[in-house]
Amino acid sequence: EIETMPRKELKELQLYKLRQTIKTAMNSPMYKKRFKELHITPDSIKTLDDIRKIPFTTKQDLRDNYPFGLVGGDMKDAIRIHSSSGTTGHPTVVVYSKHDIDSWANMIARNMYMVGCRNTDIFQNSSGYGMFTGGLGFQYGAEKLGATTIPAAAGNSKRQIMFIRDFGTTCLHAIPSYAIRLAEVFQEEGIDPRSTKLRTLFIGAEPHTNEQRLRIERLLGVKAYNSYGMTEMNGPGVAFECKRQNGMHLWEDNYIVEIVDPQTLEPVPDGETGEMVLTTLDRTMMPILRYRTRDLTRIIPGECECGRTHRRIDRIKGRTDDMFIIK
């Protein structure tokens, strides 16, 4: 019902959730100070366009308020902490309540179901566990779906292949570069991936081109679906491809998406590339408002043939910050 909700109803749901999110954010030290200075309350938001009254949040804000300066819930209700690597300063930290974990797992399960995975599938996760969100995010989502899960974790390609063959793995989560490495090891071992039951691959966590995706599909004999996420927005599952593989549906019951000109910070029309700005709508512990992701993408105009009403974003085209993509 939510995935195909009429746009008018979806926007009404977003507006309600945005006001609730602001109520929670007002309890955090950082947002409490900001809102007081700007005289912002939930009543300030009459329409979704009023979100522009709220200032942007940046990665630097998370670093400056490390570790819990954005927490608006009660820490006694916190059940997990994830963080980024922190290679260029303080790591960015996200704190989760049970509600937040359940909401995140539901999004991942929604993504997996959307591309044909069911509770009869055997899901293998070759992503790292721990503070990195990719491992546990997909683990909880696959369990929510009811699939049999293999928490293989990262690396040890021969062992990954042994599990795929012995356990009858049908769905695999891997970063694109590792998927190609896995295909190389299949070849080195003289094993045809098509002789296994593997048919669905979830890829994400690093930029890749459509040509790379097609190569992965060809090498492994699977359908590979693109995923988008980031630590600050939960992790994987923010947006995901459907079977049409024409852009990623961004789950608008959980996020408000804006595409802005990175120089003027004004909104750009659908179809035009800009910086993606995201607002969480379903987090009770640590909501983040108007987060500048620094990722460049666009809203794909028009409706998707799959019938889902949540808008689609294009694959990430680059960054507006100091990240360089080599090869």
Side-chain angles (χ1 to χ4, degrees):
E1 292 174 0
I2 290 175
E3 290 176 59
T4 57
M5 183 178 284
R7 292 293 308 171
K8 184 176 181 293
E9 291 179 27
L10 187 54
K11 287 182 177 181
E12 289 170 355
L13 178 63
Q14 284 185 309
L15 182 58
Y16 170 78
K17 284 190 164 188
L18 177 58
R19 288 173 175 154
Q20 297 300 116
T21 296
I22 290 172
K23 283 182 184 178
T24 302
M26 289 176 73
N27 296 319
S28 73
M30 189 192 85
Y31 284 122
K32 183 177 183 179
K33 182 173 181 290
R34 284 190 177 181
F35 291 167
K36 186 176 181 180
E37 290 171 353
L38 297 170
H39 307 290
I40 293 173
T41 68
D43 292 335
S44 305
I45 308 300
K46 307 295 184 188
T47 70
L48 286 177
D49 288 338
D50 288 337
I51 196 172
R52 295 174 64 189
K53 295 178 181 178
I54 301 170
F56 293 104
T57 303
T58 66
K59 181 167 282 192
Q60 193 58 48
D61 290 326
L62 271 70
R63 288 172 173 161
D64 292 344
N65 290 275
Y66 173 89
F68 304 136
L70 273 74
V71 171
D74 190 328
M75 280 299 291
K76 73 177 178 59
D77 297 323
I79 66 166
R80 193 190 302 171
I81 296 172
H82 278 290
S83 79
S84 66
S85 59
T87 52
T88 57
H90 274 310
T92 55
V93 171
V94 176
V95 185
Y96 301 77
S97 65
K98 184 179 186 303
H99 170 90
D100 302 339
I101 294 295
D102 290 345
S103 174
W104 183 21
N106 185 67
M107 275 191 290
I108 299 283
R110 183 190 294 182
N111 296 337
M112 295 177 71
Y113 194 94
M114 178 167 61
V115 296
C117 293
R118 299 292 183 266
N119 58 7
T120 51
D121 276 291
I122 297 176
F123 168 75
Q124 185 165 324
N125 198 357
S126 72
S127 194
Y129 286 72
M131 299 305 276
F132 173 60
T133 54
L136 284 168
F138 262 91
Q139 180 71 29
Y140 273 62
E143 289 178 359
K144 176 80 173 178
L145 180 67
T148 303
T149 63
I150 306 168
N156 200 335
S157 300
K158 290 182 181 180
R159 186 166 172 262
Q160 298 277 359
I161 291 171
M162 180 185 76
F163 288 162
I164 290 170
R165 299 179 77 195
D166 294 352
F167 299 155
T169 301
T170 56
C171 306
L172 176 70
H173 176 224
I175 62 174
S177 57
Y178 186 65
I180 291 174
R181 175 60 189 150
L182 202 60
E184 292 171 349
V185 178
F186 264 110
Q187 188 174 20
E188 290 166 7
E189 295 296 299
I191 302 168
D192 183 357
R194 290 168 181 78
S195 68
T196 73
K197 294 181 179 179
L198 190 63
R199 58 178 173 79
T200 305
L201 181 64
F202 310 113
I203 52 177
E206 65 184 16
H208 62 283
T209 63
N210 196 51
E211 288 73 21
Q212 284 175 289
R213 185 250 291 278
L214 293 173
R215 183 182 176 215
I216 290 167
E217 290 186 335
R218 187 176 68 253
L219 289 172
L220 290 175
V222 298
K223 292 298 289 183
Y225 297 97
N226 194 10
S227 171
Y228 175 80
M230 58 181 0
T231 300
E232 298 85 351
M233 291 293 119
N234 282 352
V238 176
F240 210 87
E241 284 183 322
C242 65
K243 285 191 171 183
R244 302 293 178 180
Q245 293 180 302
N246 182 24
M248 295 173 282
H249 289 278
L250 190 139
W251 300 121
E252 295 182 86
D253 58 319
N254 287 281
Y255 303 96
I256 291 175
V257 58
E258 302 171 75
I259 307 293
V260 302
D261 183 304
Q263 303 303 321
T264 67
L265 300 182
E266 292 297 317
V268 301
D270 286 0
E272 190 173 315
T273 298
E275 180 182 336
M276 181 159 55
V277 175
L278 292 173
T279 295
T280 65
L281 291 178
D282 202 37
R283 286 221 300 237
T284 62
M285 183 57 61
M286 186 179 152
I288 300 181
L289 302 165
R290 302 197 79 199
Y291 184 70
R292 292 189 62 182
T293 67
R294 303 292 183 175
D295 287 327
L296 292 170
T297 186
R298 68 186 181 104
I299 298 290
I300 297 175
E303 299 176 0
C304 183
E305 293 176 353
C306 76
R308 291 173 180 84
T309 54
H310 298 241
R311 291 180 297 174
R312 293 164 294 154
I313 59 170
D314 208 345
R315 64 177 56 246
I316 304 305
K317 292 180 168 58
R319 301 271 299 175
T320 64
D321 60 9
D322 56 0
M323 178 183 286
F324 288 89
I325 300 169
I326 311 298
K327 294 186 180 178

